[in-house]
């Protein structure tokens, strides 16, 4: 009997963590490429991928604040301007938005649907 309870608890924890990773909160607006392109030049454009990914190619005009460094570099993000986030697929940008909202109180948060792998606009490689 104890084995069934332990297995059920483990399954519940896995479901909870998957939900948190892939759920898009209401304060984060998911934008299509078209809408993202319309607004990112008037906003803070942040690539939350790791530096090596960023150097392999990134959206023109973006700056790199990897998710792994986000908490240490939060003071680089202004809360009075829109924040446009992207990563490779969208999962890390959702996590970054959660951190920015919780720790900085930013309200105007957006991320790119499908992430950089779906991007068809201009890119820059280092």
């Amino acid at each position: 009997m104890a084995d069934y309870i332990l297995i059920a608890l483990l399954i519940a924890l896995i479901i909870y963590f998957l939900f948190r990773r892939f759920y898009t909160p209401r304060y984060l607006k998911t934008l299509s490429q078209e809408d993202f392109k319309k607004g990112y030049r008037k906003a803070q454009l942040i690539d939350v991928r790791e530096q090596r990914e960023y150097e392999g190619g990134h959206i023109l005009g973006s700056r790199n604040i990897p998710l792994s460094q986000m908490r240490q570099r939060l003071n680089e993000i202004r809360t009075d301007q829109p924040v446009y986030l992207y990563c490779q697929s969208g999962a890390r940008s959702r996590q970054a938005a959660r951190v920015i909202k919780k720790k900085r109180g930013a309200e105007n948060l957006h991320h790119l649907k499908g992430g950089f792998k779906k991007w068809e606009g201009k890119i820059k490689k280092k």
Side-chain angles (χ1 to χ4, degrees):
M1 184 70 165
D3 289 342
Y4 292 118
I5 292 171
L6 187 60
I7 291 171
L9 186 59
L10 185 61
I11 290 170
L13 278 171
I14 290 169
I15 291 170
Y16 171 76
F17 284 113
L18 286 173
F19 178 79
R20 281 210 21 115
R21 180 166 174 93
F22 296 107
Y23 169 73
T24 302
R26 279 184 262 161
Y27 57 80
L28 177 62
K29 188 170 183 183
T30 301
L31 300 177
S32 66
Q33 265 196 66
E34 185 177 299
D35 290 334
F36 197 85
K37 286 178 185 178
K38 286 179 186 174
Y40 82 84
R41 286 191 177 92
K42 300 175 201 133
Q44 302 170 85
L45 179 59
I46 301 171
D47 183 328
V48 300
R49 299 176 302 155
E50 293 301 315
Q51 185 175 354
R52 61 180 161 62
E53 294 173 285
Y54 179 81
E55 289 173 353
H58 56 272
I59 297 174
L60 197 61
S62 67
R63 66 186 153 125
N64 185 225
I65 303 178
L67 179 60
S68 62
Q69 299 174 15
M70 185 63 65
R71 291 183 191 276
Q72 295 82 11
R73 296 178 60 187
L74 277 171
N75 62 341
E76 296 177 36
I77 300 170
R78 295 179 55 171
T79 58
D80 62 335
Q81 292 181 342
V83 179
Y84 278 52
L85 302 164
Y86 73 93
C87 62
Q88 194 65 23
S89 65
R92 286 180 282 180
S93 57
R94 278 192 293 274
Q95 291 176 308
R98 191 175 299 121
V99 171
I100 295 166
K101 170 73 172 164
K102 184 177 179 182
K103 300 292 185 183
R104 294 282 290 164
E107 295 291 331
N108 204 346
L109 299 168
H110 310 269
H111 85 127
L112 177 61
K113 182 179 182 178
F116 185 72
K117 70 180 180 183
K118 301 280 186 180
W119 183 252
E120 296 173 352
K122 293 182 181 179
I123 64 168
K124 180 177 181 182
K125 292 186 179 186
K126 280 196 170 188

